[in-house]
Amino acid sequence: MRKNIVAGNWKMNTTVPEGVALAKEVNQCLEGFKANCEVIICVPFTHLVPVCAVIDQQKLGLGAENCADHKSGAYTGEVSAPMVESTGATYVILGHSERRQYYGETAETLREKVALALASNLQPIFCIGEVLEEREKGTHFDVVRKQIIDGLFNLSAEDFGKVILAYEPVWAIGTGKTATADQAEEMHAFIRQCVADRYGKEVAENTSILYGGSCKPSNAAELFAKPDVDGGLIGGASLKAADFIGIVKAF
Ligand code: 13P
């Protein structure tokens, strides 16, 4: 059966000492109880090595927030999937709306990134989601289906089985405006059906689909209670250990 997962996305926040302190705090909180879900933190590249050294990855998984669309070579400033793997991280967020929007990531580059991540034993947390205008026009289902098809459906069923999906309506990210639990469930069920149409029911039932967008301790339980919402990808609220753990405890 699929896993429930709460993953933090720190984005471009915290210095290395601040990040190490936060990771230590989260790790310490998790030592005190048995979480009913997998817990992951995705941190800036600079933080991966020092954070890896202070967490117990049996309890707290570690991921990057991106990786390059090439394996190695003359790509100044980029960080490859093998480099991320060599830090000890085992997850990578790919296709976040901020990367699509501000850094021009296309389905084509994302397919490369997914393939390279999988080749380096990194589990992709692949983000999809519509902007406000698309939801208002009523095209949100088509938009999300296209993002999944174009970004992922070239994969074999075996490789697709390693991917975690994250539905993040762009209008809910960092805005304080959460999708209602019903809106999230409606889209998550749709996404699972898209996966079933391509890979069959068993693969679809085993795919974890996380919700992201202004998820906080106060709304997490209602969202996670929905049958097709398998956890959350948490931005702002992952920067405070108490809030993040509050969301973990919503399971
Ligand atoms: P917020 O939780 O800050 O809205 O961010 C969500 C997100 O983008 C996680 O990837």
Side-chain angles (χ1 to χ4, degrees), residues 33-81:
F33 75 106
K34 167 106 188 63
N36 288 322
C37 59
E38 244 182 61
V39 188
I40 301 165
I41 48 174
C42 297
V43 307
F45 291 130
T46 44
H47 298 33
L48 288 168
V49 168
V51 165
C52 189
V54 299
I55 62 172
D56 171 6
Q57 284 198 65
Q58 300 296 330
K59 288 199 158 245
L60 180 59
L62 180 64
E65 300 174 13
N66 182 31
C67 72
D69 57 346
H70 297 277
K71 195 172 173 189
S72 66
Y75 301 99
T76 302
E78 288 293 287
V79 176
S80 71

Side-chain angles (χ1 to χ4, degrees), residues 7-11 93 96-98 127 166 168-170 172-177 211-216 232-239 247:
N9 173 10
W10 289 5
K11 307 194 180 182
I93 296 174
H96 193 281
S97 61
E98 288 149 16
C127 304
E168 301 203 304
V170 180
I173 296 178
T175 57
K177 201 175 163 193
Y211 168 79
S214 299
C215 188
K216 3 180 214 281
L233 183 56
I234 319 299
S238 71
L239 295 170
I247 295 171

Side-chain angles (χ1 to χ4, degrees), residues 95 97 100-101 105 127-148 150 167-173 177 183 186-187 190:
S97 61
R100 293 177 191 258
Q101 192 177 343
E105 288 195 355
C127 304
I128 50 195
E130 80 284 359
V131 300
L132 184 60
E133 196 193 346
E134 291 160 342
R135 178 157 284 261
E136 284 173 344
K137 274 196 306 201
T139 57
H140 45 296
F141 292 112
D142 295 337
V143 167
V144 167
R145 179 172 41 211
K146 186 165 165 40
Q147 287 172 339
I148 307 174
D150 293 353
Y167 169 57
E168 301 203 304
V170 180
W171 47 270
I173 296 178
K177 201 175 163 193
Q183 281 174 323
E186 185 185 33
M187 183 59 88
F190 172 78

Side-chain angles (χ1 to χ4, degrees), residues 17 26 46 85 88 96 106 113 130 134 142 144 162 173 178 197 200 213 234 236 243 248:
V26 171
T46 44
E85 183 189 22
H96 193 281
T106 62
K113 291 183 182 205
E130 80 284 359
E134 291 160 342
D142 295 337
V144 167
K162 296 170 190 157
I173 296 178
T178 323
D197 291 344
I234 319 299
D243 287 349
V248 169

